[in-house]
Amino acid sequence: MLNLSRFATLLLLALTTTPSAQAQTAPSASEAARYSGLHAAAHQGDTARLQQLIASGADLNARDGHGRTPLHVASFAKQREVIRLLAKAGAKLDLLEDDRYDCVTIASVADDEETLRVLLSLGASAKQVTSRYEGTALIAAAHLGHDGVVKQLIAAGAPLDHVNNLHWTAVIESIVLGDGGLRHQATLRALVEAGASPRLTDREGNTPLVLARARGYTAMARIIEESRTKR
């Protein structure tokens, strides 16, 4: 049986502290104004200056005060040509900034399908463990109901049943942190059709079906029921 008191406590904790609920920390206007070198060129999308700096041997993986590389900055700013140029020059695609987010998770949380597509095409990984909650880009995207992003990440080999340190999977987060609407339904359907388990439980032993019913998400409960009959 669902422990409603414990569930409510965990839900409140996640809603108020899970980093993907507030997205990652993008450079503020004041930070961006202080940028120089590759960080400034990446933020502004100044490809001519970027190429000059690359040719002069600038550190492609230099960090700002928050641990962001030029690639992180370009991902936040949706500067896709900058991303391509940096990757071609040898910038590392999978580095984590100080909050332990990578470019793939940054694009995923922003629901930025095109930047994500560019990053994955260049070889960025959809498999990394990110954030202080030891989650993944897939879990973050499922939480937010970014169904197109979820489908891209699944196709790129994201781990379907990764369990974060809240003891939640992408399937569970799509329910307990979702709104039950069409995009979260599409997210859940994409996950279970790809083979994500509808049986893995939260820390209290509640299955996704129990969690969906408890929240009154009839359509999501039906998706889980249908997936379980096919296995």
Side-chain angles (χ1 to χ4, degrees), residues 14 31-33 41-42 46 54 57 60 65 76 103 107 119 121 123 136 143 153 157-158:
E31 280 183 296
D46 188 343
I54 290 171
L60 299 176
F76 276 118
C103 294
L119 287 163
S121 73
T136 61
H143 157 190
L153 293 170

Side-chain angles (χ1 to χ4, degrees), residues 16-30:
T16 56
T17 64
T18 301
S20 55
Q22 300 174 344
Q24 289 72 51
T25 306
S28 67
S30 59

